[in-house]
Amino acid sequence: MTAVLVAAGAFLMTLIGGFVAQRTGDRRHLVLGFAAGLMLGVVAFDLLPEAIHQAPGEVHGVPQALLMFAVGFLTIHVVERAVAIHRGHEGEYAEHTHGHHHGHAHHAGAQGIGLTAALALVGHSVMDGFAIGAAFQAGTTVGTVVAIAVVAHDFADGFNTYTITRLYGNNRRRALTLLAADALAPVSGAAITLAFTIPEHLLGLYLGFFSGFLLYLATSDILPEAHSPHPSRSTLLCTVAGVGFMWLVIGFAS
């Protein structure tokens, strides 16, 4: 039950992160820059090291977790390119139909990517809950260290869930719904471990896959969006600050 109570702290931090993200106003480019830095920091300092630790086996000389990292990156890339190709065909058709269907398909496709990304973050938060529960099964000290790391970076999870959902054209109500789901996810994950635990190897493969997914979003979508209206030093500094923040959080928690 201790794990579930600790996961309730993650619930609150996720909500706080989301509400901070929605009150940014005309500083949206700074928020996006900071969010990209947080995501890069989470991948480099938390998810990938943990993935390699959980799934150290190799396939043709490459750690399985890193192979899944590449698969995750390529999966979201293929999905985005498929949407772009679909947009192109719709554009050709729109030349003969005054563009109505093209605009609708473009908007719906972008919303779908945003929802997929947000749901992936929710899935990651469920794994956070699993991690807390499994750590407390290993011992109170291990559980406490993992809990500090998870609760601290769940602020970033909430921040990123709201930001990504809105970035791809979803309305505020939908973004808040996904934020609520992301906040409840760690509690659900911790509660499930009261009955059983996820196999360590599978957890490592999942974390590797999710790392590639997040890195693609940060570098291919969020950073270009942050710099397109405001190619400023302040945006770049926010990105560096996001990476540094995650370094400090994970360093203090380890």
Side-chain angles (χ1 to χ4, degrees):
M1 289 303 295
T2 303
V4 176
L5 293 175
V6 171
F11 167 86
L12 293 175
M13 287 299 290
T14 302
L15 289 180
I16 291 171
F19 284 119
V20 168
Q22 70 171 306
R23 295 186 178 277
T24 55
D26 60 357
R27 294 187 175 90
R28 180 171 175 269
H29 61 292
L30 301 179
V31 171
L32 292 174
F34 188 69
L38 289 176
M39 293 166 75
L40 176 58
V42 168
V43 168
F45 308 141
D46 185 21
L47 296 182
L48 271 183
E50 184 64 23
I52 294 172
H53 174 73
Q54 300 275 10
E58 295 186 352
V59 176
H60 198 58
V62 178
Q64 295 176 4
L66 292 183
L67 285 175
M68 291 303 294
F69 168 77
V71 170
F73 188 98
L74 291 173
T75 296
I76 184 61
H77 176 61
V78 168
V79 169
E80 282 213 331
R81 290 303 91 202
V83 170
I85 291 170
H86 178 67
R87 289 175 188 166
H89 290 311
E90 288 290 338
E92 293 170 6
Y93 178 72
E95 291 179 3
H96 303 286
T97 58
H98 308 291
H100 174 72
H101 296 291
H102 169 65
H104 177 73
H106 183 117
H107 186 63
Q111 284 184 333
I113 292 174
L115 290 176
T116 300
L119 288 172
L121 285 166
V122 173
H124 170 58
S125 292
V126 173
M127 294 300 111
D128 282 347
F130 271 120
I132 292 174
F136 272 102
Q137 289 180 7
T140 303
T141 302
V142 176
T144 301
V145 170
V146 171
I148 291 171
V150 168
V151 170
H153 93 249
D154 272 348
F155 173 87
D157 283 350
F159 190 99
N160 290 334
T161 297
Y162 186 89
T163 300
I164 289 172
T165 307
R166 294 288 281 154
L167 174 64
Y168 286 95
N170 292 283
N171 60 38
R172 183 173 178 271
R173 181 177 180 181
R174 185 173 291 174
L176 288 175
T177 299
L178 285 164
L179 175 63
D182 192 41
L184 289 170
V187 181
S188 301
I192 291 172
T193 62
L194 298 176
F196 64 90
T197 58
I198 187 171
E200 184 177 283
H201 181 72
L202 292 181
L203 178 59
L205 296 179
Y206 168 79
L207 291 177
F209 180 89
F210 184 66
S211 296
F213 192 95
L214 270 191
L215 187 64
Y216 182 89
L217 291 180
T219 57
S220 297
D221 288 347
I222 295 181
L223 277 179
E225 180 71 17
H227 286 282
S228 60
H230 297 278
S232 64
R233 292 181 181 178
S234 57
T235 304
L236 177 59
L237 290 174
C238 283
T239 303
V240 174
V243 174
F245 177 76
M246 288 311 305
W247 183 21
L248 289 175
V249 166
I250 293 168
F252 282 128
S254 62

